[in-house]
Amino acid sequence: MTDKKSIWDSAAKAGLALGGISVAYLALTSLLSLMSSSSKAAAITISIVSTLLWMAKFAGCLLLLRFFMLRWSAANPDADNSDTFRFGRRTALLSALVYSGCYLAYTTFINPGIYEEAFEILKSNPMMNNNASLQAMQNMLPMMPTYTFFGNLIYCWLFGVILSAIYSRNIPSKNPF
């Protein structure tokens, strides 16, 4: 069995590629949001393109994680299913760290007003007329990038762990033939 350093090295490369897909999606959708949608047709087109990009990102991440797990298993013939799961779990952690870090940078430096805009939309909602809850939300605004970082990190890592558990059941194959 290969040593832990080489497993982490392979997982880091795979995590960087997986995180890169999500970061590319973030960049493309933020660029799409900058386009003016003065007409209804342009707004619908942007919505369709965003949906197609999300579907491509989702499918790409699913397939790429499986590809990296298969490749790692083939490169390590003495690895069993639990070793492949550990590799997938490490890849998911590092991928989540890349994406969460980039999203933190996006909300902190590139688009720092994103949460204020969302709060203004929420304030205009007639259901939100309680001053105490509005004040509590206002107090949370400075910490939202941090909360989002940890929320994304946990969500993406858990998703990757579950996916790794599903994929690793058959990587390497248990079929004797």
Side-chain angles (χ1 to χ4, degrees), residues 56-72:
K57 176 198 75 134
F58 189 73
C61 287
L62 294 177
L63 294 173
L64 201 57
L65 179 62
R66 186 172 189 280
F67 167 77
F68 283 126
M69 289 175 73
L70 284 168
R71 189 173 78 174
W72 184 83

Side-chain angles (χ1 to χ4, degrees), residues 27-37 46 106 110-111 117:
L28 288 173
T29 55
S30 65
L31 288 174
L32 279 175
S33 69
L34 294 176
M35 299 174 80
S36 65
S37 57
I46 290 173
Y106 174 75
I110 298 171
N111 191 1
E117 292 171 17

